[in-house]
Amino acid sequence: MSTTRFSSRERDRLCINSSNWVRCSETSLKRASVTASLAAVSPSAAISRSAQRAAFASRGGDDDLVAAMHAIEHVYEWEAPQLLAEWKRLLQPGGLLVLELPNIEHAARNLLAGMSPQMCMFPLYGDGSHRDPYMCHRFGYTPKTIAALLKAGGFIGIRHLEPRTHGGRANRDMRVEARRA
């Protein structure tokens, strides 16, 4: 997997989207080391070495926002608490964690309604057209299960909102925001 190099100024405005660095529209993002967080937690995640070094260089506790767009479903269920702990470590007290991920309840409804694979199978398994096992989903969440995971991880003020990435498909995905206690 190739990694685009960004200046330190650009990197201050980046977030993670499906294990790739992308420019982020969230203006308050100070540092994004979510890619490296994935690498630290999941040896199964294909992550660049430079991104791994970026996360470990962070002292932690000084970021006001960590945004992980379609990332948490790419780690196994048993790896997710450790991943959340890493994101929490990066956040300052009161810092905001923003997740966007498939909503498995919506995917099931879409499957029963006979909708396209993009609306029912991709949320469950990932997009197979990449022909990349690292792009496969390893676990899925409902609004209730992701909220319980966040609460168990010490996050507060959990809110469910309309998704803004991946086409903002509210009938397939969900956005969850929570604050570090």
Side-chain angles (χ1 to χ4, degrees), residues 105-123:
E105 286 179 355
H106 289 329
R109 283 190 207 115
N110 294 345
L111 178 65
L112 293 173
M115 294 181 79
S116 72
Q118 187 177 30
M119 297 303 291
C120 56
M121 301 309 279
F122 287 16

Side-chain angles (χ1 to χ4, degrees), residues 2-149:
S2 65
T3 299
T4 303
R5 297 210 182 253
F6 294 100
S7 69
S8 61
R9 184 176 176 186
E10 287 177 307
R11 197 168 37 254
D12 287 345
R13 298 204 14 119
L14 298 176
C15 62
I16 185 68
N17 186 338
S18 297
S19 303
N20 296 305
W21 288 108
V22 296
R23 281 182 175 72
C24 185
S25 62
E26 304 284 351
T27 57
S28 63
L29 183 62
K30 290 167 55 180
R31 182 183 303 117
S33 50
V34 175
T35 296
S37 298
L38 283 167
V41 170
S42 177
S44 61
I47 307 297
S48 74
R49 292 281 181 207
S50 60
Q52 290 178 36
R53 286 191 298 272
F56 297 119
S58 173
R59 293 186 323 268
D62 57 355
D63 295 327
D64 58 356
L65 173 68
V66 171
M69 307 304 167
H70 289 268
I72 197 165
E73 67 272 17
H74 292 271
V75 299
Y76 292 107
E77 177 185 21
W78 60 87
E79 296 171 322
Q82 186 180 350
L83 180 59
L84 287 178
E86 174 61 12
W87 291 341
K88 183 179 174 185
R89 182 189 72 81
L90 295 172
L91 286 167
Q92 63 190 6
L96 184 65
L97 175 65
V98 178
L99 303 177
E100 286 200 15
L101 61 155
N103 181 332
I104 299 305
E105 286 179 355
H106 289 329
R109 283 190 207 115
N110 294 345
L111 178 65
L112 293 173
M115 294 181 79
S116 72
Q118 187 177 30
M119 297 303 291
C120 56
M121 301 309 279
F122 287 16
L124 297 171
Y125 302 108
D127 180 356
S129 70
H130 296 286
R131 297 184 181 273
D132 182 350
Y134 297 113
M135 294 303 293
C136 294
H137 295 174
R138 291 177 171 83
F139 196 72
Y141 299 91
T142 68
K144 185 177 178 179
T145 60
I146 194 68
L149 183 65

